[in-house]
Amino acid sequence: MTTAIRTGPKPNQEQDVSLRQLDHADTLELPVTGDGPFNFLHTAWKPSHYVTGLEAHTASRSWRTFRVDDLVTGVRMHAENRLVIAEVYTDGDYKPEHRDHLARRLTASYGLDEDLSQFIELATDVPTMRGPLESLSGMRQSCPEDHFEIAVVALLLQHVTVARTTQMTRNLLTHYGQLVRFDGITLRAWFTPAEIAHVSAEIFKEQDRLGYRAKTLPRFAAFFRDYPAEELTAAHDLEQTFQQIKGVGPYTAAIMASHASRDTASFGLDVWNRKILARRLLSADDAAPEAVNHRLNELFPGHAGTAGLYLVEYEYLNAPVAPLLTPGGDVDAWNEALAGVVAEPCNPR
DNA sequence: CACCAGGTCCCCA
DNA sequence: TGGGGACATGGT
């Protein structure tokens, strides 16, 4: 690995909605060590994912922010065959421990060390997987979010249109997150559980328009503030563990397990992907969740989550929720759209 | 102005 | 254990 660790303290930035400029601090070279094919584009960019402002993608590059403890980092990634090269940017005090943390986080978030060959073997024998395999082979589960962050995303997806999910996400990230600029791109960054610990359910409801889920967010913050991620990965029955949090049901728990804990056997069924899978697996317009899950596990024992991922992303491939950016004008327009956030009033009704 | 949205909780047979 | 309504908000 090449190293260019920038050390030296930086003054603490005050928490406001101003744009933080991040400087280049490191280059990480992350090998894909897991068996099976690797497809960088479809690993980094998922056509079914809604716009958060936390990441941006062109056909060959991905930008994404990560919170590494209190540090705010921006990462620009591309791949050379089975090597992912990540340029790291930050305005904080970047230490060697941050480098290790980030290398592990990126490797895990994009499944670089995960074995895809078993799933490919199973899928090759299933006719309905033919299209997905041809278009997406080498795609791995991606989850740049940690457990807290992905729980918030899943919470905001519950029982609302994606338009409103996007609105609530924008409110939260504008009010409690960060806006950063690095490598020519402007992105939002997450808030940590500690950073919203002082915010009441009332504020989440009134100011951030979260509706009845406003009560759940403080519970998430409290739960994850003192729950180490390692224990969440090692839990015996992940989905049952997560459902102990009020506001987390089968869907949200499965998202957390399949994404943040990377359990390839879990798959979060919502009404949309339930219909997609019913059509693909049961030749029906819709089906009971139990029937869909049963068939998925029957065909892909141990890899139901991966199979669901391939089928759902394939469905969205020709009409992505958030299309790829083209390097020129799209990126400029993207930056302008996010830069406008700074000037906007905090609480548009 | 009803109705409903990429769930979850709670209550009641 | 399982069905059915309520829940906040904003868009048709």
Side-chain angles (χ1 to χ4, degrees):
Chain A
M1 289 195 198
T2 50
T3 317
I5 299 177
R6 186 178 62 82
T7 50
K10 274 262 176 164
N12 274 343
Q13 304 289 315
E14 53 284 7
Q15 305 268 326
D16 57 33
V17 286
S18 65
L19 189 63
R20 294 168 66 158
Q21 181 72 46
L22 309 184
D23 302 319
H24 189 262
D26 200 357
T27 300
L28 301 174
E29 295 190 354
L30 308 166
V32 178
T33 57
D35 280 353
F38 175 63
N39 180 325
F40 174 73
L41 171 62
H42 292 304
T43 295
W45 170 71
K46 295 295 191 290
S48 80
H49 288 191
Y50 75 94
V51 182
T52 59
L54 294 161
E55 58 189 33
H57 312 273
T58 67
S60 61
R61 289 181 176 184
S62 272
W63 295 266
R64 168 76 205 200
T65 59
F66 292 85
R67 293 302 301 265
V68 179
D69 302 324
D70 286 333
L71 206 60
V72 178
T73 64
V75 176
R76 198 280 304 283
M77 283 169 287
H78 74 282
E80 293 173 9
N81 297 313
R82 293 179 73 89
L83 190 64
V84 172
I85 297 160
E87 304 295 344
V88 180
Y89 298 78
T90 184
D91 66 349
D93 185 6
Y94 189 77
K95 296 175 180 160
E97 69 210 56
H98 292 132
R99 155 174 256 251
D100 296 339
H101 181 134
L102 203 46
R104 280 197 306 277
R105 174 87 177 266
L106 291 173
T107 298
S109 292
Y110 298 99
L112 305 186
D113 56 350
E114 288 168 4
D115 181 354
L116 213 50
S117 59
Q118 272 192 0
F119 162 71
I120 300 275
E121 202 168 305
L122 287 168
T124 305
D125 295 334
V126 179
T128 194
M129 275 299 188
R130 200 190 150 122
L133 278 188
E134 280 176 5
S135 301
L136 301 171
S137 185
M139 172 177 71
R140 280 131 199 272
Q141 177 69 277
S142 60
C143 184
E145 286 79 16
D146 64 19
H147 282 85
F148 167 68
E149 293 162 353
I150 201 66
V152 174
V153 168
L155 174 71
L156 299 184
L157 280 165
Q158 290 173 10
H159 195 59
V160 286
T161 57
V162 169
R164 217 168 108 55
T165 300
T166 307
Q167 179 206 42
M168 292 187 285
T169 305
R170 172 164 40 78
N171 288 345
L172 289 177
L173 291 176
T174 302
H175 297 160
Y176 314 110
Q178 317 264 349
L179 199 62
V180 302
R181 185 173 174 82
F182 66 98
D183 191 47
I185 195 94
T186 303
L187 290 179
R188 303 178 193 284
W190 275 105
F191 44 87
T192 65
E195 286 166 357
I196 59 162
H198 66 285
V199 184
S200 66
E202 189 127 87
I203 296 292
F204 287 134
K205 189 162 173 296
E206 297 301 317
Q207 179 174 281
D208 304 301
R209 318 308 296 155
L210 294 200
Y212 64 83
R213 45 181 82 50
K215 297 187 292 292
T216 308
L217 197 45
R219 290 191 202 113
F220 282 11
F223 183 87
F224 288 105
R225 201 163 28 138
D226 33 40
Y227 217 122
E230 303 78 53
E231 291 183 29
L232 292 172
T233 333
H236 173 58
D237 189 334
L238 283 169
E239 301 197 26
Q240 287 309 314
T241 303
F242 295 144
Q243 288 185 59
Q244 290 167 7
I245 311 168
K246 200 179 291 186
V248 173
Y251 170 72
T252 304
I255 296 287
M256 293 167 69
S258 68
H259 286 63
S261 294
R262 310 200 67 86
D263 176 359
T264 60
S266 296
F267 187 77
L269 270 185
D270 58 42
V271 56
W272 280 67
N273 52 36
R274 188 184 73 213
K275 288 177 179 171
I276 292 170
L277 298 190
R279 204 160 54 245
R280 284 283 173 176
L281 300 173
L282 302 168
S283 306
D285 288 339
D286 200 356
E290 297 77 26
V292 172
N293 260 327
H294 180 259
R295 186 67 179 142
L296 202 52
N297 282 286
E298 187 174 54
L299 289 171
F300 306 98
H303 300 274
T306 312
L309 177 73
Y310 270 72
L311 289 167
V312 168
E313 295 306 331
Y314 181 64
E315 193 79 15
Y316 282 90
L317 196 50
N318 291 321
V321 178
L324 290 172
L325 301 179
T326 53
D330 279 3
V331 173
D332 290 344
W334 169 277
N335 286 338
E336 254 175 63
L338 273 180
V341 169
V342 181
E344 268 174 30
C346 252
N347 184 19
R349 269 271 197 162

